[in-house]
Amino acid sequence: AKYGVHQGSCSGILCGRILAHHYEGSKEHQDRIAAVLAESSGKDNDEVPKKSAAYLVKELVSMLPGVAQDHSDAGVDVETLRDFVDKLPIERFNKLSPTPFKDLDDVYNMLTRPLDQL
């Protein structure tokens, strides 16, 4: 709320990036998510190349009306993201993280990961 980004858009912007960062710590669960999303595409398994949960969630978000897909869609720039990261202790980010962040730069890199790298 402080940055003027709707909660749904915040989730849309971050979900794929967070999944990508946490893949090693939640591989089994993410593989199940990917299987369900791929199955829901209506195509046979032979027609659907294996995609990550992060990629498939990003694609799902792209179909949601009114939900931002990237920081720029919500009017948030990289300086604002850096400010956000630098104001919180690393423990706050790692509290629910199956794959801990090494440092605040690691958090920033997750937040700014290009969507085409999911």
Side-chain angles (χ1 to χ4, degrees):
K2 177 181 177 182
Y3 298 96
V5 179
H6 182 274
Q7 186 174 353
S9 287
C10 185
S11 296
I13 292 166
L14 297 178
C15 195
R17 290 175 167 102
I18 291 169
L19 285 168
H21 175 78
H22 295 304
Y23 181 73
E24 291 304 319
S26 59
K27 181 182 182 323
E28 181 181 319
H29 298 292
Q30 288 197 42
D31 288 348
R32 289 178 26 210
I33 291 167
V36 168
L37 290 174
E39 182 180 314
S40 71
S41 72
K43 297 180 180 178
D44 294 332
N45 284 342
D46 295 339
E47 297 178 85
V48 180
K50 184 154 173 64
K51 300 283 186 183
S52 69
Y55 175 86
L56 293 169
V57 166
K58 174 195 63 114
E59 291 297 300
L60 177 64
V61 168
S62 74
M63 294 183 271
L64 300 174
V67 176
Q69 298 173 52
D70 211 344
H71 302 291
S72 59
D73 300 335
V76 176
D77 58 33
V78 293
E79 292 81 18
T80 302
L81 291 170
R82 186 78 240 187
D83 182 59
F84 168 75
V85 169
D86 290 342
K87 287 185 176 178
L88 296 173
I90 190 74
E91 295 80 20
R92 175 101 182 253
F93 294 105
N94 283 334
K95 187 173 184 176
L96 301 173
S97 175
T99 304
F101 294 99
K102 294 177 284 216
D103 53 30
L104 293 175
D105 286 336
D106 202 22
V107 176
Y108 178 78
N109 291 335
M110 178 276 298
L111 290 174
T112 58
R113 184 178 187 152
L115 292 175
D116 62 359
Q117 293 181 9
L118 299 180

